[in-house]
Amino acid sequence: QVQFVESGGGLVQPGGSLRLSCAASALFSIYIMGWYRQAPGKQRELVARIESNGATYYVDAVKGRFTISRGSAKNTMWLQMNSLKPEDTAVYYCNVGPPPVSAYWGQGTQVTVSS
């Protein structure tokens, strides 16, 4: 059973930074991995993805502010979030893909950006 465990969320003021971590119970060196988020009342959406060769993609809303990276063991991943905005408030999840595998969703980590 594959599990993803996210951590590092919290309450931060606008303009602040957080670093999210993702640990997978299996190696995903051949997979694309991604960070997703779900804001209250909205659908879960892709935030960023990273391929096994290190190539990255970001949605326009976070481009230039967020940085996705993964460890050499390929079963860990991070999301450095800078210049946070209130609209970044959401529960953040990691998964493979896109497309994600529904059975792999973890509990997520709450990020709240508020003054």
Side-chain angles (χ1 to χ4, degrees):
Q1 180 73 21
V2 175
Q3 282 188 314
F4 284 100
V5 179
E6 304 90 351
S7 62
L11 173 63
V12 63
Q13 293 186 343
S17 298
L18 284 173
R19 182 177 172 85
L20 305 184
S21 298
C22 169
S25 62
L27 294 178
F28 287 94
S29 60
I30 60 172
Y31 282 94
I32 299 172
M33 293 182 69
W35 281 99
Y36 303 78
R37 66 185 180 187
Q38 186 167 20
K42 295 187 177 181
Q43 290 189 333
R44 190 150 34 194
E45 62 177 1
L46 175 71
V47 174
R49 72 166 191 257
I50 185 166
E51 301 178 9
S52 56
N53 64 1
T56 57
Y57 164 84
Y58 301 91
V59 296
D60 287 345
V62 307
K63 202 172 293 184
R65 300 188 297 120
F66 291 11
T67 303
I68 188 172
S69 59
R70 64 194 299 176
S72 57
K74 304 295 189 229
N75 63 336
T76 54
M77 185 172 64
W78 299 274
L79 186 68
Q80 177 67 43
M81 306 187 297
N82 298 329
S83 302
L84 282 161
K85 303 176 180 180
E87 51 263 44
D88 296 317
T89 295
V91 180
Y92 285 71
Y93 303 86
C94 57
N95 204 318
V96 299
V101 175
S102 58
Y104 294 172
W105 292 118
Q107 295 298 310
T109 186
Q110 175 71 49
V111 172
T112 302
V113 185
S114 175
S115 56

